[in-house]
Amino acid sequence: KKHKKTCVPLEELRKRLNVAETAPARDWRGMLALEGHMEQLLQGLSPASRCSLLNNFVLSHSVAMSATGSRDHALAAVRLQDRRIELLGMMERFRDQGEAMSNAAEHLLDAQKRQEAEGYFVRARAVGAAHGFFSVECTACLGLGRVAMLEGRHEECLELMRNALAASSLRENESDTMMELEVLRHLTDALFQTRQIDE
């Protein structure tokens, strides 16, 4: 459902935004009610602040998608992430840029658009490899492996997930084992599904 644009003073819009941004996941309706005024709200903000605002709209669409099951919210999140990806590249925040690409890919998977999702994961992997961010490369390889499994490319899936596992042990925050455990879970599931290990 699109929200009609009305002539609202910028000061009033920013007051509403401040209320909604305190908890964009809880108040996703409040955030999305302001989306029709987004261009006005973005005016005069620094690139970093624009990224932050766009990210809150992405988060709101993510929660709305979970609440409503609408793929439209997933696709809206991707369009917003595209804008963040461009800004993050301009600011040379390459780790955040790679993470945004993988986030966009996840939303495309939610929208049943595997081919497009694969393209974003490929881009994220390239960013991670180019700038030495193993966490980005790990997430992207895991995503590519999941897409390959869905497409029936089993050998490619296992190779990508093994690459993800290798990258998970080299990522920047080695004390955080959650990513490594996540990769292992997906890799184990893939091995079961391809009957390369027995239950």
Side-chain angles (χ1 to χ4, degrees):
K1 182 179 179 180
K2 293 184 178 180
H3 299 279
K4 293 181 180 179
K5 293 182 181 180
T6 56
C7 185
V8 182
L10 183 58
E11 183 179 351
E12 175 62 26
L13 288 174
R14 293 211 183 281
K15 286 180 181 178
R16 296 181 194 176
L17 180 64
N18 287 337
V19 172
E21 279 194 313
T22 57
R26 289 200 303 272
D27 191 18
W28 59 268
R29 290 183 179 85
M31 281 295 298
L32 296 186
L34 292 168
E35 191 171 15
H37 302 282
M38 185 171 64
E39 299 307 324
Q40 188 178 354
L41 289 165
L42 288 169
Q43 287 179 9
L45 297 181
S46 67
S49 294
R50 292 203 299 273
C51 275
S52 178
L53 177 56
L54 288 167
N55 191 54
N56 279 335
F57 279 114
V58 169
L59 177 58
S60 297
H61 276 293
S62 297
V63 177
M65 179 186 62
S66 298
T68 66
S70 172
R71 295 178 186 176
D72 290 342
H73 287 295
L75 297 175
V78 174
R79 289 191 292 271
L80 292 165
Q81 281 291 28
D82 280 337
R83 297 181 66 171
R84 288 190 71 240
I85 287 165
E86 183 178 0
L87 283 168
L88 291 166
M90 289 171 52
M91 292 188 291
E92 299 186 353
R93 285 171 50 183
F94 297 116
R95 178 166 60 183
D96 292 337
Q97 186 186 44
E99 290 173 352
M101 289 172 179
S102 285
N103 179 269
E106 293 292 348
H107 283 105
L108 286 164
L109 284 179
D110 289 333
Q112 304 297 313
K113 293 184 177 291
R114 294 177 190 169
Q115 186 174 2
E116 292 92 332
E118 190 168 27
Y120 277 85
F121 280 132
V122 167
R123 290 169 62 194
R125 184 183 186 184
V127 168
H131 299 283
F133 293 120
F134 290 104
S135 59
V136 172
E137 196 169 356
C138 172
T139 301
C141 283
L142 179 58
L144 286 168
R146 287 162 49 217
V147 172
M149 175 59 76
L150 290 169
E151 295 290 327
R153 307 193 308 264
H154 296 159
E155 289 303 318
E156 181 184 351
C157 162
L158 294 174
E159 180 181 356
L160 285 162
M161 288 190 177
R162 290 186 178 109
N163 287 342
L165 185 61
S168 72
S169 65
L170 299 170
R171 68 198 183 286
E172 301 81 74
N173 185 6
E174 294 184 12
S175 62
D176 181 4
T177 61
M178 293 302 295
M179 176 56 74
E180 192 170 359
L181 291 172
E182 179 73 1
V183 175
L184 280 169
R185 182 178 70 80
H186 281 284
L187 178 56
T188 302
D189 287 345
L191 289 167
F192 279 137
Q193 289 182 50
T194 56
R195 298 182 180 178
Q196 298 205 25
I197 57 175
D198 297 323
E199 294 189 46

